[in-house]
Amino acid sequence: MRREVRKRRSTNGDVSSSSQDPQPSKVGHGSVPQPSSGAQHASGKLYEEEEDDALPDSDALPDSDDEVELDKPRPIQIVLAHEDDHNFELDESALEKILLQEHIKDLNIVVVSVAGAFRKGKSFLLDFMLRYMYNRTSPCWIGGNTEPLTGFTWRGGCERETTGIQIWSEVFVIEKPNGTKVAVLLMDTQGAFDSQSTIKDCATVFALSTMTSSVQVYNLSQNIQEDDLQHLQLFTEYGRLAMEEIYQKPFQTLMFLIRDWSYPYEHAYGLEGGRKFLEKRLQVKQNQHEELQNVRKHIHSCFSNLGCFLLPHPGLKVATNPNFDGRLNDIDEDFKNELRNLIPLLLAPENLVEKEISGSKVTCRDLVEYFKAYIKIYQGEELPHPKSMLQATAEANNLAAVAGAKDLYSKGMEQVCGGDKPYLAPSDLEQKHQDFRESAIRHFRSVKKMGGEEFCRRYQEQLEGEIEEIYANFVKHNDGKNIFYAARTPATLFAVMFAMYIISGLTGFLGMNSIAALCNLVLGMALISFCTWAYVKYSGEFREVGTAIDQIAEAIWEQVFSKLFEVLRRRTVRRALTSVPRQRLSSNNNKKKN
């Protein structure tokens, strides 16, 4: 009997799966075979059979309020991708319902994840893994020739299917040859480099899956190219940044899976041919460029175990038939033969790799906490955002131009008022600043830069802001050379003390004792401030206090004495101008008398 298959919504209402549920163990009558009598799995239950023999419409969706039903295995989305703000969210309740079941929560966990570029057959491969897990004791676990392939959602075409991170809702309990039981979890990831994902999105998904898996299958097409290794370096470094106190290799097993391998005459299909091919690709040579050597050294330093498997093309029917549904009779025999070798290599009890972090084995309960901790790191701003090669190069190019222009400005200003140069009038200094500023901006614009006009304009604005900050420092340095400016604070305090002394004496003589007392208080405070300021300048201690006194003295100078001196200056000039006509009139009168 076939079982009901329906899509599920995640707890936030998003569709987490459109795949069909596994089928009974009878070969050719279902998608994912039911486990044989000796096979153990997490739910411990057999699927409930429906009365109808046909598979129902896979587009039928239950209400969004339905809870995750673990007796009907399906892919469950645990990391949700938000396309509007390019952020990721962990569905904690879904993850906890799967991993915190009573019979598995304290078992050590094995996590097999598949990651790589989008539309390269990751979900397709995982569904064959499901077939093996449900029928691994049978020599015909791969299924019947007319049996459609279901489980994780997959389809042909050029548009992406999986988003975020999905796991199979049924955690398989496997007994290893040494008698210990482990929990096996299968993980599917969002494909990298699609038209809707940023470099940060791709790096986050790949890093998160690598950090939480014990075996990461790096799914590649046809060959291992240099850009594949560079992306791997970027993504693993992004993951390593999020892991604190790393004293050993942070990740466990990385399996390069080369799909559609077309050179079996150079390296044979399978694990041995892949091993020789990988050794050749990751070999560090003396005559290699330093950049190429660093990529290979980085990969070796990140993973405890590296492997490679060469998988042939599945056939033209798989690639070109829009109605292909995974039936084995449409797949080439070479592909099926190698698939029979690959899947047990990853999932046979004797080959299972238990998840470890910092040398300690991780249980299902522990993995929930690690997921929560890691997702918080990637949701925050502690980590730098990875960028595309063009953006990173354009930023470096523009920053270098900013540094060169800023250095040109600083050298020009140093020749005018830097070091032991004499004091320069503020107006002259302002003019020099404008000249050197325009020269620096012209230099910035003359440098050939990447990124386009709008991108470069942001860095020109940054340059202008930094030049203004440098100019403010030069103004302070120049003012420090003015002996009158340096003496402004003691002169202001002395003037305050002298004024308060005179006013106190006059008001005391006139009987205004309260005003006299207030003036004496201000005089005392000014005297204490003067002594404190002198001690700070002499000893270099309590610099904050000295700065505060300087600011108060400058405010008094600007608001009181400066305005007072300006008024006296204007009156003096006015009197001088009015006295000149009188002298001329007196001189003319004397001439007439003579």
Side-chain angles (χ1 to χ4, degrees), residues 295-503:
V295 170
R296 285 153 177 78
K297 290 177 182 178
H298 175 89
I299 294 173
H300 281 292
S301 68
C302 282
F303 293 93
S304 301
N305 184 34
L306 293 171
C308 181
F309 195 96
L310 304 179
L311 199 62
H313 194 283
L316 287 178
K317 289 184 179 180
V318 176
T320 60
N321 185 2
N323 299 318
F324 174 70
D325 59 1
R327 299 172 192 265
L328 293 180
N329 56 7
D330 293 332
I331 300 176
D332 284 1
E333 198 63 34
D334 285 344
F335 183 88
K336 291 184 284 188
N337 290 337
E338 295 303 329
L339 203 60
R340 291 185 181 96
N341 296 328
L342 170 64
I343 303 302
L345 183 68
L346 299 172
L347 296 174
E350 63 274 13
N351 295 328
L352 293 175
V353 179
E354 298 172 52
K355 177 62 183 171
E356 295 183 3
I357 295 180
S358 299
S360 300
K361 292 184 178 180
V362 176
T363 64
C364 294
R365 188 204 307 266
D366 297 334
L367 188 63
V368 173
E369 300 305 317
Y370 279 113
F371 257 111
K372 293 179 181 179
Y374 291 153
I375 201 70
K376 285 181 181 178
I377 294 175
Y378 288 117
Q379 287 174 338
E381 296 296 329
E382 295 89 352
L383 299 183
H385 288 196
K387 303 176 177 64
S388 67
M389 295 176 66
L390 173 60
Q391 186 177 4
T393 305
E395 286 188 3
N397 186 211
N398 278 270
L399 287 173
V402 168
K406 193 166 60 173
D407 185 61
L408 180 66
Y409 172 83
S410 298
K411 287 181 178 179
M413 293 294 287
E414 283 286 347
Q415 293 176 357
V416 172
C417 64
D420 56 354
K421 299 292 181 180
Y423 173 74
L424 186 66
S427 58
D428 294 338
L429 182 62
E430 171 72 18
Q431 184 59 47
K432 292 293 184 182
H433 158 67
Q434 293 296 339
D435 294 342
F436 290 129
R437 177 178 176 275
E438 293 177 2
S439 177
I441 293 175
R442 282 197 303 270
H443 174 80
F444 174 80
R445 290 176 176 172
S446 66
V447 176
K448 293 183 178 181
K449 300 177 291 297
M450 301 175 68
E453 184 65 27
E454 184 177 353
F455 187 83
C456 297
R457 190 180 300 117
R458 297 204 305 264
Y459 286 90
Q460 181 177 329
E461 293 172 357
Q462 177 183 334
L463 171 63
E464 293 171 356
E466 292 180 1
I467 285 178
E468 291 301 324
E469 292 178 2
I470 297 173
Y471 172 63
N473 291 331
F474 275 114
V475 169
K476 293 179 181 178
H477 182 68
N478 187 60
D479 289 340
K481 299 175 183 179
N482 187 346
I483 186 172
F484 294 102
Y485 182 86
R488 178 178 293 183
T489 297
T492 302
L493 295 176
F494 181 77
V496 170
M497 288 187 288
F498 180 77
M500 292 300 103
Y501 177 76
I502 297 299
I503 295 172

Side-chain angles (χ1 to χ4, degrees), residues 248-310:
Q248 53 188 355
K249 294 182 179 181
F251 311 121
Q252 290 176 264
T253 298
L254 176 68
M255 173 66 75
F256 288 87
L257 179 60
I258 314 301
R259 310 286 288 270
D260 307 340
W261 178 250
S262 303
Y263 316 105
Y265 49 87
E266 292 184 355
H267 298 283
Y269 298 133
L271 185 64
E272 184 60 24
R275 182 186 63 79
K276 295 178 180 178
F277 173 68
L278 186 64
E279 286 181 358
K280 186 176 180 180
R281 272 289 183 269
L282 297 186
Q283 184 180 6
V284 179
K285 303 177 183 178
Q286 292 296 329
N287 59 348
Q288 276 180 326
H289 190 278
E290 182 181 0
E291 175 184 334
L292 303 178
Q293 292 185 9
N294 290 338
V295 170
R296 285 153 177 78
K297 290 177 182 178
H298 175 89
I299 294 173
H300 281 292
S301 68
C302 282
F303 293 93
S304 301
N305 184 34
L306 293 171
C308 181
F309 195 96
L310 304 179

